[in-house]
Amino acid sequence: MFTYLLDDHIELKPLALQHARPLFELTVDSRDTLREWLPWVDAITDVEHTVSFVKNAIKQGAENGAVSAGIWVHGELAGIISFHEIQWHNRSVSIGYWLGKHFVGQGIMTSACRAFVDYALMDLDLNRVEIRCATGNHRSRAIPERLGFVLEGIVREAELLPQGYVNHAIYGMLKSEWKLLR
């Protein structure tokens, strides 16, 4: 996957080492809103933590084909969208994502997810895409719902966040379903 234009002002770019500083700064700037749903946020205290994340994403991409991309809005880094490790044997992948606090509520992540789902199911010829969200994270859950994903179930106490355990909603999209929605 190369730079991918979602529209005239939003593009996806594969993560590269030069993105570490702006990604770290975005994380710090949005820490207060991100920490509610992302357990790793408070551990990011130095740009080197973000450098390690980017290096790992690049390595995983090279070894497994899993893509991690920055979401750029008017040339400014707005967030991240990633394939978690692709399960090639099962032809499935899950998607994770987050946006900086100044970019939420604009349809940016829905557009990015649509592009990633299309890439996974049509270009990579996978059969299934999964998105997991904390049940109380209504903004995150709205994305797979808008895209037509099926709510497949709830996993109880799936993740430990600073406020305690949260349940996860599991959404799935199959290639056969996506072809009908395109």
Side-chain angles (χ1 to χ4, degrees):
M1 177 182 224
F2 300 96
T3 298
Y4 183 84
L5 297 176
L6 298 177
D7 63 26
D8 349 340
H9 63 280
I10 304 171
E11 61 184 334
L12 303 177
K13 297 180 190 177
L15 281 183
L17 284 176
Q18 67 263 27
H19 301 145
R21 173 132 332 255
L23 182 56
F24 173 72
E25 291 169 358
L26 182 64
T27 304
V28 169
D29 183 54
S30 300
R31 188 182 307 277
D32 56 330
T33 57
L34 295 175
R35 78 164 40 100
E36 184 177 6
W37 304 114
L38 299 172
W40 52 264
V41 171
D42 287 329
I44 306 301
T45 58
D46 183 282
V47 72
E48 288 306 314
H49 295 130
T50 306
V51 168
S52 293
F53 166 76
V54 172
K55 284 181 178 178
N56 188 53
I58 293 168
K59 180 180 179 208
Q60 186 174 11
E63 292 174 355
N64 178 261
V67 177
S68 292
I71 303 166
W72 298 80
V73 178
H74 295 292
E76 183 179 355
L77 185 60
I80 297 291
I81 184 166
S82 298
F83 288 144
H84 298 138
E85 183 177 353
I86 298 173
Q87 302 298 318
W88 288 105
H89 176 74
N90 293 318
R91 310 219 47 87
S92 68
V93 71
S94 65
I95 297 176
Y97 48 80
W98 64 268
L99 279 175
K101 65 182 177 182
H102 300 296
F103 298 95
V104 297
Q106 301 173 42
I108 295 166
M109 192 56 76
T110 300
S111 294
C113 278
R114 184 178 292 111
F116 256 55
V117 172
D118 206 57
Y119 181 67
L121 298 177
M122 307 317 294
D123 295 338
L124 296 179
D125 196 31
L126 301 180
N127 185 59
R128 174 183 166 76
V129 174
E130 183 176 286
I131 296 176
R132 291 180 175 229
C133 311
T135 55
N137 189 342
H138 302 291
R139 284 182 184 254
S140 188
R141 289 186 69 178
I143 294 164
E145 290 169 1
R146 271 193 293 274
L147 293 174
F149 276 64
V150 173
L151 175 61
E152 297 178 333
I154 305 294
V155 178
R156 298 177 306 143
E157 296 188 0
E159 185 174 39
L160 179 60
L161 296 174
Q163 71 271 25
Y165 284 99
V166 295
N167 298 339
H168 277 185
I170 311 295
Y171 292 92
M173 176 63 71
L174 303 178
K175 183 176 189 168
S176 59
E177 297 164 336
W178 188 250
K179 284 181 175 180
L180 295 174
L181 293 172
R182 291 179 80 210

mmCIF file of all heavy atoms in Angstrom, residues 81-127:
data_model
loop_
_atom_site.group_PDB
_atom_site.id
_atom_site.type_symbol
_atom_site.label_atom_id
_atom_site.label_comp_id
_atom_site.label_asym_id
_atom_site.label_seq_id
_atom_site.Cartn_x
_atom_site.Cartn_y
_atom_site.Cartn_z
ATOM 1 N N ILE A 81 -4.280 4.128 11.579
ATOM 2 C CA ILE A 81 -5.114 2.961 11.313
ATOM 3 C C ILE A 81 -4.158 1.821 10.961
ATOM 4 O O ILE A 81 -3.175 2.038 10.254
ATOM 5 C CB ILE A 81 -6.155 3.213 10.209
ATOM 6 C CG1 ILE A 81 -7.070 1.992 10.038
ATOM 7 C CG2 ILE A 81 -5.506 3.655 8.910
ATOM 8 C CD1 ILE A 81 -8.315 2.271 9.220
ATOM 9 N N SER A 82 -4.434 0.630 11.485
ATOM 10 C CA SER A 82 -3.505 -0.494 11.304
ATOM 11 C C SER A 82 -4.252 -1.803 11.138
ATOM 12 O O SER A 82 -5.311 -2.017 11.733
ATOM 13 C CB SER A 82 -2.608 -0.647 12.538
ATOM 14 O OG SER A 82 -1.826 0.476 12.752
ATOM 15 N N PHE A 83 -3.652 -2.672 10.350
ATOM 16 C CA PHE A 83 -4.021 -4.077 10.382
ATOM 17 C C PHE A 83 -3.216 -4.684 11.514
ATOM 18 O O PHE A 83 -2.005 -4.467 11.596
ATOM 19 C CB PHE A 83 -3.626 -4.803 9.097
ATOM 20 C CG PHE A 83 -4.453 -4.465 7.891
ATOM 21 C CD1 PHE A 83 -3.858 -4.408 6.646
ATOM 22 C CD2 PHE A 83 -5.815 -4.239 7.980
ATOM 23 C CE1 PHE A 83 -4.596 -4.129 5.519
ATOM 24 C CE2 PHE A 83 -6.566 -3.952 6.858
ATOM 25 C CZ PHE A 83 -5.952 -3.895 5.615
ATOM 26 N N HIS A 84 -3.871 -5.432 12.373
ATOM 27 C CA HIS A 84 -3.117 -6.255 13.305
ATOM 28 C C HIS A 84 -2.583 -7.423 12.474
ATOM 29 O O HIS A 84 -2.835 -7.491 11.267
ATOM 30 C CB HIS A 84 -4.004 -6.701 14.465
ATOM 31 C CG HIS A 84 -4.508 -5.531 15.268
ATOM 32 N ND1 HIS A 84 -5.796 -5.434 15.721
ATOM 33 C CD2 HIS A 84 -3.898 -4.390 15.665
ATOM 34 C CE1 HIS A 84 -5.956 -4.299 16.369
ATOM 35 N NE2 HIS A 84 -4.817 -3.646 16.354
ATOM 36 N N GLU A 85 -1.867 -8.295 13.053
ATOM 37 C CA GLU A 85 -1.247 -9.368 12.273
ATOM 38 C C GLU A 85 -2.281 -10.069 11.384
ATOM 39 O O GLU A 85 -3.344 -10.473 11.846
ATOM 40 C CB GLU A 85 -0.599 -10.395 13.203
ATOM 41 C CG GLU A 85 0.123 -11.479 12.465
ATOM 42 C CD GLU A 85 0.829 -12.459 13.384
ATOM 43 O OE1 GLU A 85 0.876 -12.226 14.589
ATOM 44 O OE2 GLU A 85 1.334 -13.467 12.869
ATOM 45 N N ILE A 86 -1.961 -10.200 10.109
ATOM 46 C CA ILE A 86 -2.853 -10.882 9.173
ATOM 47 C C ILE A 86 -2.749 -12.387 9.411
ATOM 48 O O ILE A 86 -1.655 -12.937 9.487
ATOM 49 C CB ILE A 86 -2.489 -10.547 7.712
ATOM 50 C CG1 ILE A 86 -2.661 -9.051 7.453
ATOM 51 C CG2 ILE A 86 -3.346 -11.377 6.748
ATOM 52 C CD1 ILE A 86 -2.163 -8.598 6.087
ATOM 53 N N GLN A 87 -3.873 -13.022 9.547
ATOM 54 C CA GLN A 87 -3.942 -14.479 9.693
ATOM 55 C C GLN A 87 -4.132 -15.065 8.288
ATOM 56 O O GLN A 87 -5.263 -15.271 7.839
ATOM 57 C CB GLN A 87 -5.103 -14.865 10.613
ATOM 58 C CG GLN A 87 -5.038 -14.247 12.000
ATOM 59 C CD GLN A 87 -3.810 -14.693 12.763
ATOM 60 O OE1 GLN A 87 -3.436 -15.875 12.730
ATOM 61 N NE2 GLN A 87 -3.172 -13.769 13.447
ATOM 62 N N TRP A 88 -3.016 -15.272 7.595
ATOM 63 C CA TRP A 88 -3.080 -15.695 6.197
ATOM 64 C C TRP A 88 -3.768 -17.054 6.041
ATOM 65 O O TRP A 88 -4.504 -17.271 5.071
ATOM 66 C CB TRP A 88 -1.688 -15.711 5.576
ATOM 67 C CG TRP A 88 -1.166 -14.323 5.356
ATOM 68 C CD1 TRP A 88 -0.214 -13.676 6.093
ATOM 69 C CD2 TRP A 88 -1.593 -13.392 4.363
ATOM 70 N NE1 TRP A 88 -0.023 -12.396 5.617
ATOM 71 C CE2 TRP A 88 -0.863 -12.199 4.548
ATOM 72 C CE3 TRP A 88 -2.533 -13.446 3.326
ATOM 73 C CZ2 TRP A 88 -1.031 -11.079 3.731
ATOM 74 C CZ3 TRP A 88 -2.697 -12.331 2.512
ATOM 75 C CH2 TRP A 88 -1.954 -11.173 2.726
ATOM 76 N N HIS A 89 -3.540 -17.966 6.973
ATOM 77 C CA HIS A 89 -4.157 -19.293 6.891
ATOM 78 C C HIS A 89 -5.687 -19.176 6.900
ATOM 79 O O HIS A 89 -6.374 -19.869 6.157
ATOM 80 C CB HIS A 89 -3.671 -20.183 8.039
ATOM 81 C CG HIS A 89 -4.331 -21.519 8.072
ATOM 82 N ND1 HIS A 89 -4.024 -22.515 7.180
ATOM 83 C CD2 HIS A 89 -5.308 -22.018 8.873
ATOM 84 C CE1 HIS A 89 -4.768 -23.578 7.428
ATOM 85 N NE2 HIS A 89 -5.555 -23.298 8.452
ATOM 86 N N ASN A 90 -6.208 -18.278 7.743
ATOM 87 C CA ASN A 90 -7.656 -18.078 7.841
ATOM 88 C C ASN A 90 -8.158 -16.965 6.931
ATOM 89 O O ASN A 90 -9.365 -16.717 6.879
ATOM 90 C CB ASN A 90 -8.060 -17.776 9.285
ATOM 91 C CG ASN A 90 -7.839 -18.961 10.181
ATOM 92 O OD1 ASN A 90 -8.123 -20.100 9.817
ATOM 93 N ND2 ASN A 90 -7.314 -18.710 11.362
ATOM 94 N N ARG A 91 -7.222 -16.252 6.271
ATOM 95 C CA ARG A 91 -7.558 -15.139 5.381
ATOM 96 C C ARG A 91 -8.376 -14.084 6.113
ATOM 97 O O ARG A 91 -9.400 -13.610 5.636
ATOM 98 C CB ARG A 91 -8.269 -15.632 4.128
ATOM 99 C CG ARG A 91 -7.492 -16.782 3.468
ATOM 100 C CD ARG A 91 -7.417 -16.836 2.004
ATOM 101 N NE ARG A 91 -7.083 -15.658 1.268
ATOM 102 C CZ ARG A 91 -5.841 -15.248 0.988
ATOM 103 N NH1 ARG A 91 -4.805 -15.909 1.465
ATOM 104 N NH2 ARG A 91 -5.630 -14.198 0.248
ATOM 105 N N SER A 92 -7.868 -13.711 7.315
ATOM 106 C CA SER A 92 -8.589 -12.719 8.116
ATOM 107 C C SER A 92 -7.614 -11.754 8.782
ATOM 108 O O SER A 92 -6.422 -12.033 8.923
ATOM 109 C CB SER A 92 -9.446 -13.411 9.181
ATOM 110 O OG SER A 92 -8.629 -14.039 10.148
ATOM 111 N N VAL A 93 -8.167 -10.606 9.170
ATOM 112 C CA VAL A 93 -7.385 -9.567 9.827
ATOM 113 C C VAL A 93 -8.313 -8.735 10.696
ATOM 114 O O VAL A 93 -9.525 -8.683 10.459
ATOM 115 C CB VAL A 93 -6.665 -8.675 8.775
ATOM 116 C CG1 VAL A 93 -7.635 -7.785 8.026
ATOM 117 C CG2 VAL A 93 -5.551 -7.870 9.407
ATOM 118 N N SER A 94 -7.735 -8.098 11.700
ATOM 119 C CA SER A 94 -8.499 -7.126 12.476
ATOM 120 C C SER A 94 -7.874 -5.753 12.271
ATOM 121 O O SER A 94 -6.693 -5.635 11.927
ATOM 122 C CB SER A 94 -8.554 -7.506 13.957
ATOM 123 O OG SER A 94 -7.273 -7.454 14.527
ATOM 124 N N ILE A 95 -8.686 -4.734 12.440
ATOM 125 C CA ILE A 95 -8.259 -3.354 12.247
ATOM 126 C C ILE A 95 -8.330 -2.623 13.581
ATOM 127 O O ILE A 95 -9.305 -2.763 14.327
ATOM 128 C CB ILE A 95 -9.163 -2.627 11.228
ATOM 129 C CG1 ILE A 95 -9.066 -3.279 9.856
ATOM 130 C CG2 ILE A 95 -8.806 -1.147 11.134
ATOM 131 C CD1 ILE A 95 -10.003 -2.676 8.819
ATOM 132 N N GLY A 96 -7.282 -1.846 13.858
ATOM 133 C CA GLY A 96 -7.271 -0.956 15.013
ATOM 134 C C GLY A 96 -7.077 0.472 14.521
ATOM 135 O O GLY A 96 -6.475 0.691 13.462
ATOM 136 N N TYR A 97 -7.574 1.441 15.284
ATOM 137 C CA TYR A 97 -7.487 2.829 14.839
ATOM 138 C C TYR A 97 -7.671 3.789 16.004
ATOM 139 O O TYR A 97 -8.232 3.430 17.041
ATOM 140 C CB TYR A 97 -8.540 3.125 13.764
ATOM 141 C CG TYR A 97 -9.935 2.658 14.097
ATOM 142 C CD1 TYR A 97 -10.771 3.391 14.943
ATOM 143 C CD2 TYR A 97 -10.434 1.483 13.557
ATOM 144 C CE1 TYR A 97 -12.047 2.961 15.234
ATOM 145 C CE2 TYR A 97 -11.711 1.038 13.843
ATOM 146 C CZ TYR A 97 -12.522 1.789 14.683
ATOM 147 O OH TYR A 97 -13.785 1.351 14.979
ATOM 148 N N TRP A 98 -7.159 4.998 15.814
ATOM 149 C CA TRP A 98 -7.439 6.109 16.727
ATOM 150 C C TRP A 98 -7.157 7.435 16.035
ATOM 151 O O TRP A 98 -6.364 7.500 15.101
ATOM 152 C CB TRP A 98 -6.671 5.982 18.046
ATOM 153 C CG TRP A 98 -5.171 6.056 17.962
ATOM 154 C CD1 TRP A 98 -4.307 5.008 17.825
ATOM 155 C CD2 TRP A 98 -4.354 7.235 18.037
ATOM 156 N NE1 TRP A 98 -3.010 5.452 17.798
ATOM 157 C CE2 TRP A 98 -2.998 6.828 17.925
ATOM 158 C CE3 TRP A 98 -4.616 8.600 18.180
ATOM 159 C CZ2 TRP A 98 -1.935 7.728 17.958
ATOM 160 C CZ3 TRP A 98 -3.553 9.494 18.217
ATOM 161 C CH2 TRP A 98 -2.238 9.051 18.110
ATOM 162 N N LEU A 99 -7.845 8.456 16.497
ATOM 163 C CA LEU A 99 -7.670 9.812 15.975
ATOM 164 C C LEU A 99 -7.304 10.754 17.103
ATOM 165 O O LEU A 99 -7.763 10.590 18.241
ATOM 166 C CB LEU A 99 -8.969 10.331 15.349
ATOM 167 C CG LEU A 99 -9.310 9.903 13.944
ATOM 168 C CD1 LEU A 99 -10.692 10.423 13.558
ATOM 169 C CD2 LEU A 99 -8.270 10.371 12.948
ATOM 170 N N GLY A 100 -6.522 11.783 16.784
ATOM 171 C CA GLY A 100 -6.248 12.851 17.717
ATOM 172 C C GLY A 100 -7.534 13.605 18.032
ATOM 173 O O GLY A 100 -8.466 13.643 17.217
ATOM 174 N N LYS A 101 -7.594 14.207 19.207
ATOM 175 C CA LYS A 101 -8.846 14.794 19.691
ATOM 176 C C LYS A 101 -9.403 15.907 18.807
ATOM 177 O O LYS A 101 -10.607 16.128 18.800
ATOM 178 C CB LYS A 101 -8.674 15.288 21.126
ATOM 179 C CG LYS A 101 -7.706 16.431 21.298
ATOM 180 C CD LYS A 101 -7.584 16.797 22.773
ATOM 181 C CE LYS A 101 -6.575 17.896 22.997
ATOM 182 N NZ LYS A 101 -6.452 18.178 24.436
ATOM 183 N N HIS A 102 -8.582 16.576 18.039
ATOM 184 C CA HIS A 102 -9.064 17.671 17.199
ATOM 185 C C HIS A 102 -9.635 17.189 15.865
ATOM 186 O O HIS A 102 -10.117 18.002 15.077
ATOM 187 C CB HIS A 102 -7.941 18.685 16.942
ATOM 188 C CG HIS A 102 -7.406 19.287 18.199
ATOM 189 N ND1 HIS A 102 -8.160 20.074 19.024
ATOM 190 C CD2 HIS A 102 -6.195 19.180 18.786
ATOM 191 C CE1 HIS A 102 -7.439 20.447 20.070
ATOM 192 N NE2 HIS A 102 -6.232 19.902 19.947
ATOM 193 N N PHE A 103 -9.607 15.879 15.619
ATOM 194 C CA PHE A 103 -10.020 15.345 14.322
ATOM 195 C C PHE A 103 -11.248 14.451 14.397
ATOM 196 O O PHE A 103 -11.719 13.976 13.366
ATOM 197 C CB PHE A 103 -8.853 14.573 13.693
ATOM 198 C CG PHE A 103 -7.654 15.436 13.431
ATOM 199 C CD1 PHE A 103 -6.616 15.511 14.356
ATOM 200 C CD2 PHE A 103 -7.566 16.195 12.280
ATOM 201 C CE1 PHE A 103 -5.507 16.312 14.125
ATOM 202 C CE2 PHE A 103 -6.467 17.005 12.037
ATOM 203 C CZ PHE A 103 -5.429 17.062 12.963
ATOM 204 N N VAL A 104 -11.761 14.200 15.594
ATOM 205 C CA VAL A 104 -12.904 13.287 15.739
ATOM 206 C C VAL A 104 -14.192 13.960 15.255
ATOM 207 O O VAL A 104 -14.302 15.180 15.210
ATOM 208 C CB VAL A 104 -13.062 12.791 17.195
ATOM 209 C CG1 VAL A 104 -11.858 11.978 17.629
ATOM 210 C CG2 VAL A 104 -13.302 13.946 18.148
ATOM 211 N N GLY A 105 -15.155 13.129 14.882
ATOM 212 C CA GLY A 105 -16.468 13.626 14.515
ATOM 213 C C GLY A 105 -16.564 14.242 13.130
ATOM 214 O O GLY A 105 -17.537 14.936 12.832
ATOM 215 N N GLN A 106 -15.587 13.965 12.257
ATOM 216 C CA GLN A 106 -15.587 14.557 10.921
ATOM 217 C C GLN A 106 -15.711 13.511 9.808
ATOM 218 O O GLN A 106 -15.572 13.836 8.634
ATOM 219 C CB GLN A 106 -14.297 15.368 10.714
ATOM 220 C CG GLN A 106 -14.115 16.490 11.717
ATOM 221 C CD GLN A 106 -12.748 17.142 11.582
ATOM 222 O OE1 GLN A 106 -12.270 17.377 10.481
ATOM 223 N NE2 GLN A 106 -12.122 17.427 12.723
ATOM 224 N N GLY A 107 -15.901 12.255 10.179
ATOM 225 C CA GLY A 107 -16.011 11.191 9.186
ATOM 226 C C GLY A 107 -14.673 10.688 8.669
ATOM 227 O O GLY A 107 -14.636 9.848 7.766
ATOM 228 N N ILE A 108 -13.581 11.190 9.238
ATOM 229 C CA ILE A 108 -12.244 10.830 8.771
ATOM 230 C C ILE A 108 -11.984 9.339 8.960
ATOM 231 O O ILE A 108 -11.535 8.652 8.035
ATOM 232 C CB ILE A 108 -11.174 11.675 9.498
ATOM 233 C CG1 ILE A 108 -11.331 13.154 9.126
ATOM 234 C CG2 ILE A 108 -9.773 11.157 9.208
ATOM 235 C CD1 ILE A 108 -10.550 14.104 10.028
ATOM 236 N N MET A 109 -12.266 8.827 10.152
ATOM 237 C CA MET A 109 -11.951 7.426 10.424
ATOM 238 C C MET A 109 -12.864 6.483 9.656
ATOM 239 O O MET A 109 -12.429 5.411 9.231
ATOM 240 C CB MET A 109 -12.005 7.127 11.925
ATOM 241 C CG MET A 109 -11.402 5.782 12.268
ATOM 242 S SD MET A 109 -9.688 5.563 11.691
ATOM 243 C CE MET A 109 -8.808 6.542 12.902
ATOM 244 N N THR A 110 -14.106 6.860 9.438
ATOM 245 C CA THR A 110 -14.984 6.010 8.634
ATOM 246 C C THR A 110 -14.422 5.868 7.224
ATOM 247 O O THR A 110 -14.376 4.764 6.669
ATOM 248 C CB THR A 110 -16.410 6.584 8.603
ATOM 249 O OG1 THR A 110 -16.914 6.648 9.943
ATOM 250 C CG2 THR A 110 -17.339 5.716 7.762
ATOM 251 N N SER A 111 -13.945 6.968 6.643
ATOM 252 C CA SER A 111 -13.345 6.915 5.305
ATOM 253 C C SER A 111 -12.083 6.060 5.298
ATOM 254 O O SER A 111 -11.873 5.266 4.375
ATOM 255 C CB SER A 111 -13.002 8.326 4.815
ATOM 256 O OG SER A 111 -14.175 9.071 4.619
ATOM 257 N N ALA A 112 -11.243 6.225 6.322
ATOM 258 C CA ALA A 112 -10.010 5.432 6.405
ATOM 259 C C ALA A 112 -10.335 3.950 6.561
ATOM 260 O O ALA A 112 -9.717 3.098 5.907
ATOM 261 C CB ALA A 112 -9.146 5.928 7.558
ATOM 262 N N CYS A 113 -11.291 3.621 7.419
ATOM 263 C CA CYS A 113 -11.671 2.211 7.609
ATOM 264 C C CYS A 113 -12.249 1.623 6.328
ATOM 265 O O CYS A 113 -11.948 0.483 5.977
ATOM 266 C CB CYS A 113 -12.672 2.074 8.752
ATOM 267 S SG CYS A 113 -11.912 2.043 10.373
ATOM 268 N N ARG A 114 -13.070 2.390 5.626
ATOM 269 C CA ARG A 114 -13.633 1.907 4.360
ATOM 270 C C ARG A 114 -12.506 1.531 3.391
ATOM 271 O O ARG A 114 -12.537 0.467 2.767
ATOM 272 C CB ARG A 114 -14.531 2.972 3.732
ATOM 273 C CG ARG A 114 -15.222 2.502 2.456
ATOM 274 C CD ARG A 114 -16.150 3.564 1.859
ATOM 275 N NE ARG A 114 -17.291 3.788 2.733
ATOM 276 C CZ ARG A 114 -17.502 4.913 3.436
ATOM 277 N NH1 ARG A 114 -16.651 5.924 3.356
ATOM 278 N NH2 ARG A 114 -18.563 5.022 4.199
ATOM 279 N N ALA A 115 -11.491 2.381 3.309
ATOM 280 C CA ALA A 115 -10.355 2.098 2.416
ATOM 281 C C ALA A 115 -9.596 0.848 2.877
ATOM 282 O O ALA A 115 -9.203 0.020 2.051
ATOM 283 C CB ALA A 115 -9.417 3.303 2.364
ATOM 284 N N PHE A 116 -9.399 0.708 4.181
ATOM 285 C CA PHE A 116 -8.669 -0.455 4.699
ATOM 286 C C PHE A 116 -9.449 -1.746 4.493
ATOM 287 O O PHE A 116 -8.879 -2.786 4.150
ATOM 288 C CB PHE A 116 -8.317 -0.251 6.178
ATOM 289 C CG PHE A 116 -6.881 0.109 6.417
ATOM 290 C CD1 PHE A 116 -6.313 1.203 5.783
ATOM 291 C CD2 PHE A 116 -6.089 -0.634 7.263
ATOM 292 C CE1 PHE A 116 -4.995 1.547 5.997
ATOM 293 C CE2 PHE A 116 -4.759 -0.309 7.480
ATOM 294 C CZ PHE A 116 -4.212 0.792 6.848
ATOM 295 N N VAL A 117 -10.752 -1.704 4.710
ATOM 296 C CA VAL A 117 -11.578 -2.894 4.503
ATOM 297 C C VAL A 117 -11.541 -3.279 3.028
ATOM 298 O O VAL A 117 -11.368 -4.455 2.682
ATOM 299 C CB VAL A 117 -13.030 -2.657 4.981
ATOM 300 C CG1 VAL A 117 -13.934 -3.822 4.586
ATOM 301 C CG2 VAL A 117 -13.055 -2.450 6.490
ATOM 302 N N ASP A 118 -11.672 -2.301 2.155
ATOM 303 C CA ASP A 118 -11.622 -2.571 0.726
ATOM 304 C C ASP A 118 -10.272 -3.173 0.332
ATOM 305 O O ASP A 118 -10.211 -4.145 -0.424
ATOM 306 C CB ASP A 118 -11.898 -1.277 -0.052
ATOM 307 C CG ASP A 118 -12.463 -1.555 -1.422
ATOM 308 O OD1 ASP A 118 -13.518 -2.220 -1.514
ATOM 309 O OD2 ASP A 118 -11.834 -1.117 -2.409
ATOM 310 N N TYR A 119 -9.198 -2.609 0.857
ATOM 311 C CA TYR A 119 -7.861 -3.120 0.564
ATOM 312 C C TYR A 119 -7.711 -4.568 1.055
ATOM 313 O O TYR A 119 -7.200 -5.434 0.335
ATOM 314 C CB TYR A 119 -6.812 -2.216 1.218
ATOM 315 C CG TYR A 119 -5.386 -2.625 0.955
ATOM 316 C CD1 TYR A 119 -4.834 -2.555 -0.313
ATOM 317 C CD2 TYR A 119 -4.569 -3.076 1.991
ATOM 318 C CE1 TYR A 119 -3.518 -2.929 -0.558
ATOM 319 C CE2 TYR A 119 -3.257 -3.449 1.760
ATOM 320 C CZ TYR A 119 -2.741 -3.382 0.489
ATOM 321 O OH TYR A 119 -1.441 -3.754 0.254
ATOM 322 N N ALA A 120 -8.196 -4.831 2.278
ATOM 323 C CA ALA A 120 -8.072 -6.180 2.848
ATOM 324 C C ALA A 120 -8.861 -7.204 2.043
ATOM 325 O O ALA A 120 -8.342 -8.282 1.703
ATOM 326 C CB ALA A 120 -8.541 -6.181 4.299
ATOM 327 N N LEU A 121 -10.099 -6.883 1.735
ATOM 328 C CA LEU A 121 -10.982 -7.878 1.125
ATOM 329 C C LEU A 121 -10.836 -7.966 -0.397
ATOM 330 O O LEU A 121 -10.998 -9.053 -0.959
ATOM 331 C CB LEU A 121 -12.432 -7.583 1.500
ATOM 332 C CG LEU A 121 -12.732 -7.659 3.004
ATOM 333 C CD1 LEU A 121 -14.179 -7.278 3.282
ATOM 334 C CD2 LEU A 121 -12.406 -9.030 3.580
ATOM 335 N N MET A 122 -10.529 -6.860 -1.035
ATOM 336 C CA MET A 122 -10.468 -6.874 -2.494
ATOM 337 C C MET A 122 -9.031 -7.023 -2.999
ATOM 338 O O MET A 122 -8.765 -7.840 -3.871
ATOM 339 C CB MET A 122 -11.117 -5.613 -3.075
ATOM 340 C CG MET A 122 -12.549 -5.367 -2.551
ATOM 341 S SD MET A 122 -13.639 -6.807 -2.458
ATOM 342 C CE MET A 122 -13.829 -7.225 -4.151
ATOM 343 N N ASP A 123 -8.093 -6.247 -2.461
ATOM 344 C CA ASP A 123 -6.714 -6.295 -2.956
ATOM 345 C C ASP A 123 -5.915 -7.452 -2.362
ATOM 346 O O ASP A 123 -5.187 -8.134 -3.077
ATOM 347 C CB ASP A 123 -5.997 -4.977 -2.683
ATOM 348 C CG ASP A 123 -6.608 -3.808 -3.446
ATOM 349 O OD1 ASP A 123 -7.283 -4.049 -4.466
ATOM 350 O OD2 ASP A 123 -6.413 -2.658 -3.026
ATOM 351 N N LEU A 124 -6.027 -7.647 -1.049
ATOM 352 C CA LEU A 124 -5.291 -8.744 -0.411
ATOM 353 C C LEU A 124 -6.046 -10.066 -0.493
ATOM 354 O O LEU A 124 -5.513 -11.108 -0.123
ATOM 355 C CB LEU A 124 -5.003 -8.409 1.061
ATOM 356 C CG LEU A 124 -4.092 -7.218 1.310
ATOM 357 C CD1 LEU A 124 -3.910 -6.991 2.813
ATOM 358 C CD2 LEU A 124 -2.742 -7.395 0.629
ATOM 359 N N ASP A 125 -7.290 -10.023 -0.946
ATOM 360 C CA ASP A 125 -8.132 -11.211 -1.109
ATOM 361 C C ASP A 125 -8.345 -11.965 0.206
ATOM 362 O O ASP A 125 -8.393 -13.193 0.227
ATOM 363 C CB ASP A 125 -7.550 -12.133 -2.191
ATOM 364 C CG ASP A 125 -8.557 -13.167 -2.671
ATOM 365 O OD1 ASP A 125 -9.771 -12.867 -2.663
ATOM 366 O OD2 ASP A 125 -8.130 -14.293 -3.029
ATOM 367 N N LEU A 126 -8.448 -11.215 1.308
ATOM 368 C CA LEU A 126 -8.811 -11.832 2.577
ATOM 369 C C LEU A 126 -10.312 -12.096 2.572
ATOM 370 O O LEU A 126 -11.049 -11.566 1.732
ATOM 371 C CB LEU A 126 -8.407 -10.934 3.744
ATOM 372 C CG LEU A 126 -6.908 -10.607 3.834
ATOM 373 C CD1 LEU A 126 -6.629 -9.699 5.034
ATOM 374 C CD2 LEU A 126 -6.068 -11.876 3.925
ATOM 375 N N ASN A 127 -10.776 -12.909 3.498
ATOM 376 C CA ASN A 127 -12.194 -13.254 3.562
ATOM 377 C C ASN A 127 -12.938 -12.549 4.693
ATOM 378 O O ASN A 127 -14.148 -12.414 4.630
ATOM 379 C CB ASN A 127 -12.364 -14.767 3.724
ATOM 380 C CG ASN A 127 -13.819 -15.165 3.660
ATOM 381 O OD1 ASN A 127 -14.487 -14.906 2.663
ATOM 382 N ND2 ASN A 127 -14.325 -15.761 4.733
#
